[in-house]
Amino acid sequence: MDQSHIRNFSIIAHIDHGKSTLADRILQLTGAVSERDMRAQVLDSMDLERERGITIKAQAVRVTYTAEDGEAYQLNLIDTPGHVDFSYEVSRSLAACEGALLVVDASQGIEAQTLANAYLAIEGDLHLVPVLNKIDLPAADPDLHARALADLIGDDPEHVLRISAKTGQGVKDVLEAIITRMPPPDGDRTAPLRALVFDSVYDQYRGVVAFVRVMDGGIRTGDRVRAMATGSGFDAEEVGVMSPAMTPIGHLSAGESGYIVTGLKSLVDLRVGDTLTLAREPAPEPLPGYREAKPMVFCGLFPVESDEYPDLRDALDKLSLNDASLVWEPETSQALGFGFRCGFLGLLHMDIIRERLEREYDLSLIATTPNVEYEVTRTTGEVLAVRSPVDLPEPNHIERIEEPYVRCSMLTPQDSVGAVMGLCQERRGTFVTMTSIENRQQVVYDMPLAEVVLDFYDQLKSRTRGYASLDYEMVGNREGPLVKLDILLAGEPVDALSMIVHRDSAYARGKGLVERLREIIPRQMFDVPVQAAIGGTVIARETVKAKRKDVLAKCYGGDISRKRKLLEKQKEGKKRMKHVGNVEVPQEAFLAVLQLDGQSTR
Amino acid sequence: MRSGEPGGVAHLYVHLPFCAARCGYCAFVVEVGRDDARDAYLDAVLAELERERGRLGALETLYLGGGTPTLMGAGRLSALLAAISPLLAPGAEVTIEANPETVDQNLMAALAGAGVNRVSLGVQSTHPHLLGVLDRQAGPDDAARAVRAVRAAGIPRLSVDLLLGVPGQSQADLAADLAWVTEVGPDHVSWYELEFKEGSAIASGPHLPPDEDMSADLYEEAVEGLEAAGYRWYELANFCRPGAECRHSLAYWRARDYVGLGVGAVSTVGGGRWRNAPGLDRYVAALGRGDAPPRTQEPLDADTRRRERWMLGTRVDEPLDMAWAGSPDRPAALDVLEAGGLLERGRGTVRLTRRGRLLQNAVMQEIMDF
């Protein structure tokens, strides 16, 4: 189709602000999905996404819309993930578009991620169409939020569309605005192919499927294609569009979006952000902005039952086919046996992977404390990337330790600013700036990522009664006085409970942690000392007192089977414990490190 | 199924389920308000006895339990005992359970005449407020009156049942119970910890069981108090004057064969265990038709038997003979437990220490793969 009749756009919205509902409504209104086939949230295809109400994978759907000017337009809706962990994927999706709908809940207002993604879009020269959704809600305050929205993008409040995706009210105006306010693509169809990979999925029958936006040139089924960053080559086995099911159409030209079946066997061979070009006529330069997906958060994953180790490996293998940002390598823990150290884009990503492993692969897992990657310079000058506290060299061999910092942008109601700033200070944050946005404040801090990956987000939510929202971006590494905090059970260090902490908070962390462990670890046959130590010096100690009584005092003839079954049942309960030396430790203990609130309860 | 012990089964239990009311902590098979069924029930038990007679050898012990066995009345109990007595070995122990409020001298005299030589009195507590928590029918004076009646009838052996861990029970309350026991001087005491069994009223009520430290304190107080008064802590929850162990219970703890008659009763003979189904009417009807009562069978394989021998044998203060009991599933655990002072070993024997006895479940989990 002529480029002037094409629009590529995405929807920027905070979780729950109605992006999926609006997308569904657009599919319906343009006839891409019949009323009868309409499943809520067609675009979110994974169960887990549906349950959590979030979109993990971006996709592109083509619909044809006949506008009020009587012309038929090709609209490519490029879906974006809605969470901070996936901000790179968001940026690639946006790079595939000329415009974006900026959707904000008329009762909630702008959230930090909306803000961050809106800035990303503005930086990328996208034309934004502001949309207030859920205006049918009683709590909606469209005038207030329209002003804020207009302010944010430098537009007139009158231009903010007011809709209800749920009832369908105003959705037609959205489609018209896409045509009239967003520019068409202007690629050079005669130039060599340059197609941006903004997403890719692994299909077990067809291999890697790339979702692309063709910037220049064109691609046909059968073309020999090369990925410019990874260097992978493949034949375009099928070229088509999602409408919303996969529909082969044979070719894609500049300005259009669609999919390419590559036949590649792993997502590692085709990264999001890469540029595809034709082998016979390669483009001289790739598209800008390619970045290796870099894991930010690491944790150990261990099977509760050691014989499930091969199953866990197979499951990780399969999951990484589908998720190039998941990295993992074998790890051995004295406490937990054989497992894997896994790297994730962020905490949500980690939760999702863990949940999928447990749910889809029926594994029972212990996850160790998440940590970040430290850059450690040895006294010899050698520089190490430390992804696990266990790998930290002895203190006298360390010249310096650097840790990753993120710039956290939090949007919060006026009356919670103090609480937010207090939290950031506690977590070693450095104040950057504060700006008011209508009735709210945007508070910006630079924070060690290590402090953010623990329970920062939960704390932020709970201290602002759920009102604050968070976005963050990397700002590089900074040096800090960091030490390794060890936890000893019955005198033995438990490697899986070690963590790297700031020297000044080590005592409070250690004390809080041993107190919590004392509560979590059940009484055993013998006293179990629980100690926190730094480099061999014990800084806090608690004792899990020995069990005094565990007996069923009555047992007569009619009772023997019942008593035996009771012991069998007790045994079942013990199976969920992990033996660390002579101590039985429940799985929760390994997560105790995550809860830092009220670091010491005494 | 293997056949039982040579010479036949030597221990017989008869379940007499009638009760005036269900106690708050009770999850047994009991029948309230069915006094009209007592004659038919007696006939049914006698019929079951006839069916099982072939398994029985000379009976070393007979135990009439319930329920409230005394509610059967002197006549029916005498008839029952008359039917069984030809099977009793010389010197057999014949016990009947009784609730204090049901005991009078006439009844005791009749039972003594019918061969009963041991009474187990369900006193549970000497405190009215705790008896109230338990929904017991007895008043505080009933226990003393019952003891006098047993003795006046010339029944030589008396056991008293008490409970610890009753919600609201203080250490002072327990001390008062101890003082009462010392004064009355039965030759046997069963001091059970109250169990919050599923299906009992107390488990679904407002009361919570005491925490581990509190119940351990009470338990230790009971043990130490009774030992100071000259009783031997010969089983986890049982105490006796020298030579006055309950021989019937010892048979259970030594994993001997036993036959149980009556509704809900359990039998273990050779490699098998069966339980008569609950339900008075079905029981009576089946035996009335000349059929076996409805039962559930539980086959016991060699491993189960071995684990049960350990589970039962470590309850008593006599050393467990490992040659008899079989090997533990995790022999190495014995070393750890011995070093930790939870058990002591002799030549091929194992016995729990005093601390180990209070942790018997945990010790079993270490040694055995249940």
Side-chain angles (χ1 to χ4, degrees):
Chain A
M1 188 178 274
D2 184 303
Q3 288 194 68
S4 65
H5 284 71
I6 298 175
R7 298 291 183 276
N8 292 290
F9 71 102
S10 22
I11 305 176
I12 295 173
H14 189 72
I15 297 165
D16 289 339
H17 281 201
K19 180 178 69 176
S20 300
T21 315
L22 178 57
D24 290 350
R25 203 56 74 191
I26 290 173
L27 295 189
Q28 238 176 332
L29 220 72
T30 55
V33 180
S34 73
E35 196 77 41
R36 199 164 52 87
D37 292 343
M38 194 69 201
R39 280 189 309 154
Q41 303 189 7
V42 168
L43 292 187
D44 291 355
S45 53
M46 289 163 67
D47 282 353
L48 200 61
E49 289 182 32
R50 192 177 300 273
E51 266 172 46
R52 294 194 174 212
I54 51 174
T55 309
I56 302 165
K57 279 293 183 186
Q59 285 185 346
V61 176
R62 174 183 292 192
V63 297
T64 305
Y65 172 63
T66 307
E68 278 166 10
D69 63 10
E71 306 273 319
Y73 289 86
Q74 175 197 116
L75 304 186
N76 295 302
L77 166 54
I78 292 169
D79 200 17
T80 56
H83 190 273
V84 56
D85 285 358
F86 305 102
S87 64
Y88 177 65
E89 298 192 15
V90 174
S91 77
R92 292 308 86 199
S93 296
L94 294 180
C97 302
E98 281 77 34
L101 300 172
L102 183 57
V103 177
V104 167
D105 184 318
S107 64
Q108 309 277 321
I110 299 167
E111 305 283 1
Q113 279 158 242
T114 330
L115 209 57
N117 288 342
Y119 289 147
L120 271 180
I122 292 167
E123 279 166 30
D125 284 332
L126 266 62
H127 288 252
L128 290 177
V129 173
V131 178
L132 276 180
N133 189 22
K134 309 196 191 183
I135 54 162
D136 55 319
L137 289 185
D141 188 348
D143 292 340
L144 173 75
H145 297 304
R147 275 201 309 278
L149 202 44
D151 240 26
L152 169 66
I153 59 172
D155 204 342
D156 185 333
E158 293 300 308
H159 287 164
V160 177
L161 301 177
R162 301 181 180 202
I163 70 160
S164 166
K166 201 174 111 199
T167 66
Q169 182 188 349
V171 177
K172 184 107 178 138
D173 299 337
V174 172
L175 288 167
E176 285 299 317
I178 291 169
I179 306 296
T180 56
R181 295 202 217 166
M182 292 181 190
D186 60 353
D188 181 351
R189 287 190 166 174
T190 61
L193 171 70
R194 290 203 300 174
L196 171 68
V197 179
F198 60 84
D199 194 14
S200 57
V201 298
Y202 179 81
D203 180 286
Q204 69 176 115
Y205 302 109
R206 321 191 70 181
V208 173
V209 178
F211 291 92
V212 299
R213 158 68 197 276
V214 180
M215 295 299 189
D216 294 316
I219 181 170
R220 294 188 171 277
T221 301
D223 279 344
R224 182 70 193 167
V225 178
R226 194 161 64 80
M228 297 179 80
T230 61
S232 315
F234 59 89
D235 294 325
E237 293 177 5
E238 183 179 308
V239 174
V241 296
M242 310 290 286
S243 62
M246 286 174 97
T247 311
I249 58 167
H251 74 281
L252 289 170
S253 312
E256 294 183 313
S257 306
Y259 70 86
I260 301 169
V261 175
T262 68
L264 291 170
K265 291 292 167 250
S266 162
L267 286 182
V268 174
D269 300 327
L270 190 67
R271 295 305 187 110
V272 168
D274 208 340
T275 302
L276 301 183
T277 192
L278 293 183
R280 63 167 189 273
E281 190 196 356
E285 288 290 324
L287 296 162
Y290 174 73
R291 207 170 77 196
E292 190 91 36
K294 193 170 176 278
M296 308 274 281
V297 179
F298 301 83
C299 82
L301 289 181
F302 294 85
V304 173
E305 299 290 336
S306 54
D307 56 1
E308 282 188 350
Y309 175 80
D311 301 335
L312 174 57
R313 191 187 48 219
D314 291 349
L316 283 168
D317 250 334
K318 284 186 187 133
L319 279 187
S320 31
L321 286 177
N322 241 316
D323 184 346
S325 48
L326 168 67
V327 300
W328 46 279
E329 60 192 23
E331 178 176 56
T332 311
S333 156
Q334 285 161 359
L336 301 176
F338 293 106
F340 298 93
R341 175 123 305 235
C342 303
F344 310 94
L345 295 175
L347 279 187
L348 178 82
H349 188 215
M350 180 175 91
D351 278 353
I352 289 169
I353 296 292
R354 209 178 65 205
E355 212 169 310
R356 290 188 64 188
L357 288 169
E358 299 210 305
R359 191 186 300 200
E360 293 169 29
Y361 296 91
D362 198 22
L363 296 164
S364 183
L365 297 176
I366 293 176
T368 63
T369 328
N371 56 265
V372 300
E373 181 174 294
Y374 296 90
E375 195 181 291
V376 179
T377 309
R378 282 176 176 273
T379 44
T380 58
E382 186 195 355
V383 178
L384 309 171
V386 171
R387 293 176 167 187
S388 163
V390 179
D391 298 333
L392 197 68
E394 291 300 312
N396 54 340
H397 293 143
I398 296 176
E399 179 70 35
R400 53 195 255 122
I401 305 180
E402 289 187 9
E403 60 178 328
Y405 267 69
V406 287
R407 180 151 296 172
C408 289
S409 161
M410 291 145 286
L411 212 53
T412 181
Q414 195 67 51
D415 61 359
S416 300
V417 168
V420 169
M421 294 179 78
L423 175 64
C424 293
Q425 299 288 357
E426 277 169 34
R427 301 294 165 86
R428 303 194 276 133
T430 316
F431 178 78
V432 178
T433 178
M434 184 153 77
T435 325
S436 50
I437 295 177
E438 283 300 322
N439 58 341
R440 281 182 297 169
Q441 292 289 334
Q442 184 191 15
V443 182
V444 180
Y445 268 82
D446 282 350
M447 312 259 304
L449 178 62
E451 302 283 345
V452 179
V453 301
L454 293 175
D455 62 341
F456 182 79
Y457 187 65
D458 293 341
Q459 281 296 313
L460 181 70
K461 283 288 181 193
S462 86
R463 295 193 195 184
T464 60
R465 299 184 313 282
Y467 282 115
S469 54
L470 166 73
D471 190 78
Y472 61 78
E473 55 174 342
M474 289 295 297
V475 288
N477 281 353
R478 292 183 195 175
E479 190 181 355
L482 300 166
V483 293
K484 185 168 137 213
L485 179 68
D486 289 314
I487 298 296
L488 292 78
L489 290 183
E492 294 295 320
V494 181
D495 52 7
L497 289 173
S498 292
M499 55 177 161
I500 294 171
V501 297
H502 190 270
R503 199 178 48 212
D504 295 346
S505 56
Y507 174 73
R509 288 266 165 98
K511 186 164 158 53
L513 187 51
V514 294
E515 280 171 13
R516 256 191 325 281
L517 287 170
R518 176 181 50 94
E519 284 159 20
I520 292 173
I521 295 172
R523 294 166 76 161
Q524 324 249 323
M525 306 274 270
F526 312 105
D527 279 358
V528 178
V530 183
Q531 295 161 302
I534 296 172
T537 307
V538 172
I539 57 166
R541 180 196 160 113
E542 292 281 336
T543 303
V544 179
K545 297 300 273 177
K547 210 187 268 192
R548 287 180 60 197
K549 200 186 113 293
D550 179 6
V551 64
L552 194 60
K554 191 173 189 175
C555 184
Y556 56 96
D559 219 20
I560 297 171
S561 292
R562 185 178 73 90
K563 174 144 171 59
R564 196 188 70 236
K565 282 169 188 157
L566 205 98
L567 286 170
E568 286 162 5
K569 211 167 133 190
Q570 260 190 358
K571 184 64 117 211
E572 281 303 305
K574 287 166 84 80
K575 273 191 185 155
R576 290 194 293 274
M577 303 272 205
K578 198 84 193 174
H579 275 271
V580 177
N582 278 330
V583 184
E584 281 170 356
V585 183
Q587 292 168 47
E588 311 90 274
F590 297 97
L591 291 173
V593 227
L594 276 170
Q595 297 134 26
L596 303 178
D597 190 31
Q599 303 201 328
S600 170
T601 50
R602 285 184 208 159
Chain B
M1 191 182 296
R2 282 180 310 155
S3 58
E5 291 161 3
V9 176
H11 306 280
L12 181 66
Y13 174 83
V14 181
H15 192 68
L16 302 168
F18 302 96
C19 276
R22 182 182 277 274
C23 301
Y25 58 93
C26 175
F28 292 98
V29 175
V30 302
E31 297 286 343
V32 175
R34 295 297 313 275
D35 289 3
D36 59 309
R38 288 179 296 177
D39 286 326
Y41 187 70
L42 174 63
D43 291 343
V45 168
L46 292 175
E48 194 186 8
L49 173 66
E50 280 314 305
R51 298 183 64 89
E52 300 301 329
R53 187 185 285 271
R55 300 182 198 273
L56 303 176
L59 294 176
E60 295 293 331
T61 68
L62 167 65
Y63 197 101
L64 307 184
T68 310
T70 41
L71 280 188
M72 286 295 280
R76 295 184 199 88
L77 288 171
S78 298
L80 176 64
L81 288 161
I84 298 172
S85 58
L87 301 172
L88 295 174
E93 175 189 276
V94 179
T95 307
I96 187 166
E97 282 179 350
N99 286 350
E101 72 276 14
T102 65
V103 169
D104 63 47
Q105 209 169 322
N106 292 335
L107 176 65
M108 288 300 119
L111 291 174
V116 168
N117 52 27
R118 189 170 180 273
V119 171
S120 172
L121 268 187
V123 175
Q124 316 310 1
S125 173
T126 61
H127 297 277
H129 73 280
L130 298 178
L131 289 170
V133 170
L134 298 168
D135 296 334
R136 292 291 286 184
Q137 302 289 305
D141 301 329
D142 287 332
R145 198 164 42 238
V147 170
R148 284 195 297 276
V150 172
R151 290 187 169 147
I155 296 177
R157 297 182 52 204
L158 173 66
S159 179
V160 164
D161 276 8
L162 289 166
L163 284 172
L164 60 82
V166 181
Q169 184 181 32
S170 66
Q171 288 188 273
D173 292 334
L174 193 129
D177 287 346
L178 266 173
W180 183 85
V181 169
T182 312
E183 189 193 313
V184 168
D187 61 6
H188 189 276
V189 178
S190 298
W191 211 322
Y192 299 123
E193 183 173 36
L194 176 63
E195 242 189 288
F196 282 62
K197 278 190 204 166
E198 215 174 309
S200 68
I202 204 164
S204 50
H207 299 292
L208 290 176
D211 69 18
E212 181 181 332
D213 283 314
M214 178 66 183
S215 68
D217 287 342
L218 291 168
Y219 209 127
E220 284 168 5
E221 185 186 349
V223 169
E224 283 159 21
L226 286 172
E227 286 183 330
Y231 291 88
R232 191 178 118 225
W233 185 24
Y234 78 102
E235 194 264 355
L236 288 177
N238 286 278
F239 306 82
C240 68
R241 290 272 161 78
E245 298 91 344
C246 175
R247 287 159 56 197
H248 188 80
S249 297
L250 272 178
Y252 295 144
W253 301 323
R254 289 170 176 165
R256 295 281 156 75
D257 287 350
Y258 54 90
V259 165
L261 304 178
V263 64
V266 175
S267 304
T268 304
V269 180
R273 180 169 295 153
W274 64 90
R275 178 187 165 90
N276 290 344
L280 184 69
D281 295 328
R282 280 196 300 163
Y283 175 82
V284 169
L287 285 152
R289 284 195 306 270
D291 294 338
R295 284 173 174 169
T296 47
Q297 297 287 341
E298 182 189 358
L300 302 173
D301 60 24
D303 279 340
T304 306
R305 292 288 284 167
R306 180 171 55 85
R307 289 177 187 130
E308 284 190 354
R309 283 196 288 270
W310 276 81
M311 177 186 92
L312 296 165
T314 52
R315 296 182 67 87
V316 291
D317 67 347
E318 57 195 19
L320 176 92
D321 180 357
M322 289 202 277
W324 165 77
S327 359
D329 291 322
R330 265 172 280 142
L334 296 177
D335 297 329
V336 179
L337 295 168
E338 188 176 30
L342 293 172
L343 62 78
E344 52 199 25
R345 280 192 283 191
R347 218 178 274 264
T349 65
V350 165
R351 175 164 61 178
L352 299 189
T353 61
R354 295 172 67 84
R355 203 181 137 234
R357 296 176 85 175
L358 285 196
L359 296 172
Q360 198 232 5
N361 282 350
V363 170
M364 281 303 104
Q365 297 289 1
E366 294 297 314
I367 300 177
M368 288 294 182
D369 292 321
F370 277 96

